[in-house]
């Protein structure tokens, strides 16, 4: 029954409503009401799109965010926020032109909004439109005069626009608000210097010193300016004040050293330089930079050389715990051709600090110059423990092992090290030529020839590779035409070398061109070959082939008197016959 009554109630109400509508028909909606309904609808659409845009932005889906922000702009072009948010995204993507237009619209719609002004100024600056960027920063300062960052940004924009005076004025405006500040004054001083306005720079520093009368750094810079402006009395008065405040002021002595050097008083300059080096307050790197300037002059000897040594010794005494002075001292010894003493200093450094591969390099190069192969082997092995990917250390290790005829170890080092060579064709060539020489010694000729060809592919004019490859081919009597071309090229590149002339002669000998071989051997003998037992023996062999046995025997005997030549030399002399 309840359900029945409910149905009756619904029918009754519906009937009543229908009757009400028939007695009171609806009128037409006015345009104002229609606009109101449309506005409410657009507000809801705008709010929904804005929500979706901000959500997409927070999820870093910037393309989707821009799509929704664009819909917002279409729905309500009077609202600045979608333009502002779009500008942020486009600026971040590097689309500065689009970003500039969007933020410009936002600023037009809400010119008092500092966030919009700030972004507009930043985008213009990034577009390198420094003048218009400065205009926006000035607006920001007018609306928020207490914001220091806006002053600094405005000054920066003027500096980039090369309007240095306006930048100084901007700092002055900030100073009126903030008071005299060292950072501001030093920045203004730098700008005056950039304008070559020494008087302006001096005035700025004097004002700073009135506020902070005991600031030694400012006093030093002001003294230097006085010297530049030829106001020596004022400069030296300041130097005296600095000395009273800080008698161990190394920077002061360095400044005086520069000044005296410029006016030609070398002794006063050097005396002040020594005082600077004795100072513990002066940064060690500043002292080392001074010593670097001596490097190229040490070769002149005399006073300059003595000064370099004295300053290095002062540096060692002043900074005994620092390894940099010892490294500089070692460099000076090396430049002065005192290589063994330099090596001793480098080794002292390595006992304390093994982390500098350039020090290991220096030791190994000196050991190579001294033919200290035992030391080279030990040093390279230790260096590889700390630098297992440095190809140069593998090269030295392979080179040293080769000297001790440890060919397998040499090959392992060289073939490992060559894999670490990157963009260094000269070093790669050294690896290839060394491997070629070792494989020749082990009579693995295919591998030897392959590495020689690789070396020549890097540098077809390398005379050592050309000569060795040609000579070994001649000894094996293999690919002699190739050997002939290689050796001839070598002699074109270095025509007065007796060793290379002997190689070409020996290739001709292998080709049985004995008359030409004799001609080239005579050239070789004139270029120092007459002191080589091997070359003299070769000459005897050629003479024998040409039928001049008497003179052949004479040359063999001479070769023996000069030293060790071939294993057959004694037999040749005893029997008067050629053995090969």
């Amino acid at each position: 029954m309840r359900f029945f009554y409910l149905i009756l109630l619904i029918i009754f109400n519906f009937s009543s409503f229908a009757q009400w509508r028939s007695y009171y028909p609806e009128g037409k909606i006015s345009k104002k009401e229609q606009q109101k309904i449309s506005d409410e609808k657009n507000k809801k659409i705008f709010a929904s799109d804005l929500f979706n845009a901000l959500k997409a932005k927070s999820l870093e889906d910037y393309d989707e965010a821009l799509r929704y922000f664009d819909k917002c702009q279409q729905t309500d072009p009077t609202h600045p926020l979608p333009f502002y948010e779009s500008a942020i995204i486009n600026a971040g993507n590097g689309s500065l032109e689009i970003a500039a237009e969007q933020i410009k619209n936002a600023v037009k719609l809400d010119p008092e909004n500092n966030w919009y002004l700030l972004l507009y100024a930043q985008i213009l600056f990034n577009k390198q439109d420094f003048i218009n960027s400065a205009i926006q920063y000035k607006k920001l300062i007018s609306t928020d005069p207490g914001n220091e960052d806006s002053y600094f940004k405005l000054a920066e924009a003027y500096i980039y626009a090369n309007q240095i005076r306006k930048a100084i004025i901007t700092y002055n405006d900030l100073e009126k608000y903030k008071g005299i500040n060292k950072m501001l004054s030093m920045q203004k001083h730098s700008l005056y210097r950039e304008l070559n306005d020494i008087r302006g720079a001096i005035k700025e520093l004097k004002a700073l010193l009135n506020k902070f009368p005991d600031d030694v750094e400012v006093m030093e810079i002001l003294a230097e300016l006085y010297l530049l402006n030829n106001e020596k009395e004022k400069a030296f008065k300041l130097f005296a004040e600095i000395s009273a405040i800080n008698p161990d002021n190394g920077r002061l002595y360095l400044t005086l050293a520069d000044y005296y050097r410029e006016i030609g008083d070398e002794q006063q300059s050097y005396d002040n330089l020594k005082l600077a080096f004795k100072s513990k307050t002066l940064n060690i790197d500043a002292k080392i930079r001074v010593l670097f300037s001596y490097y190229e002059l040490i070769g002149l000897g005399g006073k300059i050389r003595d000064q370099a040594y004295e300053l290095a010794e002062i540096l060692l005494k002043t900074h005994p715990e620092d390894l940099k002075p010892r490294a500089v001292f070692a460099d000076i010894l090396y430049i002065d051709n005192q290589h063994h003493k330099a090596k001793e200093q480098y080794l002292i450094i390595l006992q304390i600090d093994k982390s500098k591969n350039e020090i290991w390099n220096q030791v190994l190069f000196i050991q190579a110059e001294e033919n200290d192969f035992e030391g080279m082997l030990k040093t390279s092995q230790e260096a590889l423990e700390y630098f297992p990917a440095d190809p140069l250390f593998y090269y030295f290790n392979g080179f040293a092992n080769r000297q001790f005829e440890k060919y397998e170890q040499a090959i392992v080092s060289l073939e490992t090290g060559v894999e670490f060579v990157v963009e260094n064709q000269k070093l790669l060539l050294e690896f290839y030529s060394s491997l070629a020489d070792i494989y020749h010694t082990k009579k693995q000729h295919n591998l030897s020839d392959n590495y020689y060809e690789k070396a020549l592919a890097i540098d077809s004019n390398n005379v050592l590779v050309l000569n060795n490859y040609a000579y070994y081919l001649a000894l094996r009597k293999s690919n002699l035409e190739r050997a002939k071309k290689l050796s001839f090229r070598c002699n074109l590149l270095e025509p007065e070398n007796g060793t290379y002339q002997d190689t070409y002669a020996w290739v001709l000998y292998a080709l049985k061109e004995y008359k030409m071989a004799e001609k080239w051997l005579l050239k070789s003998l004139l270029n120092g070959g007459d002191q080589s037992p091997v070359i003299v023996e070769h000459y005897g062999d050629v003479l024998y082939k040409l039928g001049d046995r008497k003179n052949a025997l004479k040359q063999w005997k001479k070769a023996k008197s000069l030293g060790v030549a071939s294993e057959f030399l004694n037999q040749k002399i005893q029997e008067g016959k050629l053995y090969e």
Side-chain angles (χ1 to χ4, degrees):
M1 288 294 290
R2 279 183 175 181
F3 181 76
F4 177 74
Y5 286 126
L6 182 63
I7 294 296
L8 285 175
L9 182 64
I10 292 169
I11 293 169
F12 175 78
N13 286 336
F14 182 80
S15 175
S16 299
F17 179 71
Q19 289 176 2
W20 178 84
R21 282 177 62 92
S22 66
Y23 285 119
Y24 301 98
E26 287 183 338
K28 290 185 178 180
I29 299 172
S30 68
K31 288 184 179 180
K32 188 175 181 180
E33 288 174 330
Q34 285 179 350
Q35 184 62 46
K36 186 177 179 182
I37 293 168
S38 176
D39 288 347
E40 288 298 323
K41 182 181 177 182
N42 284 340
K43 279 181 182 179
K44 289 178 181 179
I45 293 170
F46 180 89
S48 175
D49 287 339
L50 183 62
F51 174 80
N52 288 328
L54 293 171
K55 180 181 175 182
K57 181 188 173 189
S58 69
L59 295 172
E60 298 184 2
D61 187 352
Y62 297 121
D63 289 338
E64 185 73 357
L66 285 172
R67 188 173 71 82
Y68 275 112
F69 282 132
D70 185 60
K71 289 177 72 176
C72 290
Q73 291 165 24
Q74 299 300 322
T75 304
D76 184 0
T78 66
H79 202 299
L81 185 60
F83 292 102
Y84 171 70
E85 292 290 348
S86 297
I88 291 174
I89 295 172
N90 280 308
N93 291 338
S95 303
L96 294 177
E97 292 294 338
I98 298 171
E101 282 301 312
Q102 289 169 331
I103 192 61
K104 185 178 178 181
N105 285 333
V107 169
K108 279 182 182 177
L109 293 167
D110 188 356
E112 302 300 318
N113 189 307
N114 283 357
W115 291 108
Y116 298 173
L117 285 171
L118 178 60
L119 182 61
Y120 193 20
Q122 289 171 341
I123 290 172
L124 290 169
F125 186 90
N126 291 336
K127 281 183 65 198
Q128 298 186 14
D129 186 355
F130 303 120
I131 297 299
N132 283 316
S133 175
I135 291 170
Q136 302 310 313
Y137 281 121
K138 285 180 76 174
K139 289 179 183 177
L140 276 167
I141 290 170
S142 67
T143 60
D144 185 9
N147 190 326
E148 292 181 22
D149 192 55
S150 296
Y151 288 94
F152 285 112
K153 293 291 187 182
L154 174 58
E156 187 180 15
Y158 281 136
I159 290 168
Y160 275 95
N162 202 30
Q163 296 189 3
I164 306 299
R165 293 283 179 190
K166 286 187 177 181
I168 293 171
I169 291 168
T170 301
Y171 288 132
N172 285 336
D173 291 341
L174 177 57
E175 195 174 76
K176 289 172 188 174
Y177 169 79
K178 188 177 181 179
I180 292 178
N181 171 276
K182 183 175 179 179
M183 184 183 72
L184 274 179
S185 295
M186 295 302 288
Q187 179 67 1
K188 284 193 283 178
H189 145 265
S190 298
L191 293 176
Y192 279 120
R193 292 287 298 273
E194 193 171 327
L195 292 168
N196 202 27
D197 183 354
I198 303 300
R199 293 307 309 166
I202 288 173
K203 184 180 178 182
E204 191 61 45
L205 293 182
K206 283 176 71 177
L208 184 58
L209 269 181
N210 285 334
K211 178 77 173 177
F212 305 103
D214 294 328
D215 192 313
V216 172
E217 182 188 11
V218 177
M219 294 167 76
E220 289 170 350
I221 298 171
L222 181 55
E224 290 174 16
L225 284 175
Y226 279 136
L227 288 177
L228 280 174
N229 211 40
N230 204 27
E231 297 180 73
K232 297 174 189 175
E233 288 184 11
K234 291 181 180 179
F236 280 95
K237 182 182 176 183
L238 273 176
F239 287 143
E241 291 177 24
I242 295 168
S243 296
I245 297 169
N246 183 6
D248 188 37
N249 191 303
R251 181 180 165 86
L252 165 65
Y253 298 123
L254 206 56
T255 301
L256 286 170
D258 288 341
Y259 169 70
Y260 283 119
R261 186 181 67 253
E262 286 173 9
I263 66 172
D265 192 337
E266 296 295 336
Q267 189 56 50
Q268 279 280 19
S269 174
Y270 183 60
D271 289 343
N272 277 281
L273 196 56
K274 286 193 290 183
L275 290 171
F277 269 61
K278 288 175 183 177
S279 168
K280 292 186 178 180
T281 63
L282 182 63
N283 185 286
I284 189 172
D285 292 329
K287 300 174 187 179
I288 287 172
R289 283 194 294 272
V290 172
L291 270 176
F292 282 166
S293 68
Y294 275 83
Y295 279 15
E296 294 181 1
L297 304 173
I298 290 170
L300 300 175
K303 188 185 290 186
I304 294 292
R305 175 181 173 276
D306 294 341
Q307 286 181 4
Y309 277 109
E310 187 177 9
L311 291 173
E313 287 169 5
I314 292 171
L315 203 59
L316 281 166
K317 290 176 183 176
T318 309
H319 305 277
E321 302 303 318
D322 200 312
L323 292 177
K324 290 179 183 177
R326 193 168 297 280
V328 172
F329 182 49
D331 289 346
I332 290 170
L333 286 166
Y334 186 81
I335 294 166
D336 197 31
N337 292 318
Q338 298 191 53
H339 295 175
H340 190 75
K341 288 183 178 180
K343 182 180 73 174
E344 290 173 350
Q345 295 299 317
Y346 290 131
L347 288 171
I348 290 171
I349 295 169
L350 289 176
Q351 288 173 6
I352 302 166
D353 181 6
K354 302 180 189 298
S355 68
K356 303 290 189 296
N357 71 339
E358 60 269 21
I359 302 295
W360 291 101
N361 284 337
Q362 283 293 88
V363 172
L364 286 163
F365 277 115
I366 293 172
Q367 287 170 335
E369 291 168 3
E370 295 178 337
N371 292 326
D372 178 11
F373 302 119
E374 187 175 347
M376 184 190 296
L377 187 61
K378 180 183 175 184
T379 302
S380 60
Q381 285 172 343
E382 192 176 357
L384 283 168
E385 292 176 15
Y386 297 93
F387 299 95
D390 193 314
L392 195 58
F393 297 150
Y394 285 101
Y395 175 77
F396 279 117
N397 189 259
F399 189 87
N401 274 307
R402 179 186 171 194
Q403 304 308 310
F404 292 109
E405 299 182 2
K406 297 178 181 179
Y407 298 123
E408 291 302 329
Q409 293 97 315
I411 288 170
V412 169
S413 286
L414 292 169
E415 290 196 335
T416 303
V418 76
E419 297 298 322
F420 293 109
V421 179
V422 179
E423 295 182 359
N424 189 336
Q425 293 294 91
K426 288 184 179 179
L427 183 57
L428 195 61
L429 185 144
E430 291 298 326
F431 270 96
Y432 288 157
S433 60
S434 295
L435 283 164
D437 291 343
I438 293 169
Y439 278 123
H440 166 77
T441 304
K442 287 176 62 61
K443 301 189 185 308
Q444 292 178 256
H445 300 308
N446 286 339
L447 285 170
S448 175
D449 292 353
N450 183 46
Y451 275 114
Y452 277 130
E453 292 293 349
K454 283 185 173 183
L456 288 173
I458 294 171
D459 181 5
S460 60
N461 291 329
N462 187 292
V463 289
L464 284 173
V465 175
L466 289 167
N467 180 72
N468 289 357
Y469 189 17
Y471 187 64
Y472 293 151
L473 288 172
L475 288 178
R476 288 157 40 204
K477 293 183 170 55
S478 172
N479 204 356
L480 291 174
E481 288 301 326
R482 173 73 169 147
K484 186 177 182 180
K485 288 179 181 178
L486 294 172
S487 184
F488 186 73
R489 181 171 185 79
C490 178
N491 279 281
L492 283 176
L493 293 166
E494 200 166 317
E496 304 299 322
N497 188 300
T499 300
Y500 300 159
Q501 290 165 339
D502 169 67
T503 296
Y504 190 59
W506 204 241
V507 173
L508 293 169
Y509 178 87
L511 287 165
K512 299 182 180 180
E513 297 178 29
Y514 302 123
K515 200 66 186 171
M516 283 297 294
E518 180 190 23
K519 178 183 175 183
W520 278 88
L521 276 166
L522 287 171
K523 288 183 181 182
S524 174
L525 292 169
L526 289 171
N527 285 309
D530 58 335
Q531 299 302 310
S532 166
V534 173
I535 294 174
V536 172
E537 184 183 0
H538 284 172
Y539 184 44
D541 293 352
V542 169
L543 289 174
Y544 187 91
K545 287 289 188 181
L546 290 171
D548 190 351
R549 298 188 177 186
K550 180 180 176 181
N551 279 319
L553 181 60
K554 183 178 176 182
Q555 295 301 317
W556 290 335
K557 288 179 179 179
K558 182 181 177 183
K560 185 177 180 179
S561 70
L562 290 171
V564 179
S566 79
E567 58 183 302
F568 301 112
L569 182 58
N570 287 331
Q571 197 174 358
K572 291 176 187 178
I573 293 169
Q574 288 170 6
E575 299 182 23
K577 292 181 181 180
L578 177 64
Y579 288 91
E580 297 179 299

